[in-house]
Amino acid sequence: INMAKSKKKKSNLGLIFKVVTLVFAVAAFCMAFLTCVKFVTDKGDVANTFTGFQEMFGYTKKSTSIIGAEVSTKYLAFGFMAVVTFVLPVVGAVLTLLKNKIVRLVGAALMIVGAVLMFLLPQFAVLATVDGELTVVTMVLDNLNRSLGLGAILGGVFAALGGLVSGYAVLTNK
């Protein structure tokens, strides 16, 4: 009777680890809604901020000029590495749900790699160009310092925690 109880407890613990891993992965992905990259002047003033989704899929700001015409200014272009950064923790978490121990370990590793990439997000911001040249607006951004926003920091922390939890679960056979 005691063996049956301990076996059930072990399977519940494994399920808890999987749920926690998934929650951390989803939380890491949701950080794309927050500011992930900031462009900062030498004095420390924030000149521009962009969310993870803006960094992934590009960002164009529309405004109205003095004469009433609508003007579009493209700041960021599609960023493949930003997409990879936010997708890796989710793919890793899904892999940790499978039965194969090696695949689960690869899933944990993907989450850790995603966490490391989150901290490199400012370097992945692709400035918009016209005919291969930076525009006046993107030239200004290119001369500013890039720094991490809250979304990238929290996303990296959540992805790392998810990777560590799933890695622990795999290595301890939970």
Side-chain angles (χ1 to χ4, degrees):
I1 292 175
N2 281 345
M3 289 185 86
K5 243 185 191 180
S6 67
K7 186 142 180 108
K8 185 175 183 184
K9 194 179 233 183
K10 182 180 176 186
S11 67
N12 284 343
L13 194 57
L15 179 64
I16 290 169
F17 280 135
K18 289 178 181 180
V19 169
V20 168
T21 298
L22 272 176
V23 168
F24 278 133
V26 169
F29 182 79
C30 287
M31 293 303 108
F33 288 105
L34 301 178
T35 298
C36 287
V37 63
K38 297 187 285 189
F39 287 87
V40 184
T41 65
D42 289 335
K43 294 180 182 177
D45 299 325
V46 176
N48 243 329
T49 62
F50 298 101
T51 67
F53 284 113
Q54 289 171 335
E55 189 175 350
M56 284 189 277
F57 303 114
Y59 176 65
T60 302
K61 182 178 180 181
K62 294 184 181 187
S63 58
T64 306
S65 69
I66 298 171
I67 59 172
E70 188 174 279
V71 178
S72 294
T73 306
K74 189 165 185 162
Y75 286 83
L76 297 177
F78 174 79
F80 176 75
M81 283 304 295
V83 173
V84 168
T85 299
F86 282 103
V87 169
L88 273 181
V90 175
V91 170
V94 169
L95 290 178
T96 62
L97 298 176
L98 302 176
K99 297 265 187 215
N100 187 326
K101 187 174 183 175
I102 299 296
V103 172
R104 290 173 57 207
L105 203 53
V106 167
L110 287 178
M111 291 189 76
I112 299 292
V113 169
V116 170
L117 291 178
M118 290 276 185
F119 293 106
L120 297 174
L121 267 174
Q123 285 21 300
F124 299 148
V126 179
L127 297 175
T129 59
V130 176
D131 296 328
E133 299 291 324
L134 292 174
T135 64
V136 174
V137 172
T138 54
M139 272 194 259
V140 171
L141 287 178
D142 195 36
N143 290 323
L144 297 175
N145 300 317
R146 300 175 186 203
S147 67
L148 285 170
L150 181 64
I153 294 168
L154 291 176
V157 169
F158 290 146
L161 288 173
L164 291 174
V165 167
S166 63
Y168 175 78
V170 172
L171 295 176
T172 59
N173 294 321
K174 303 277 188 234

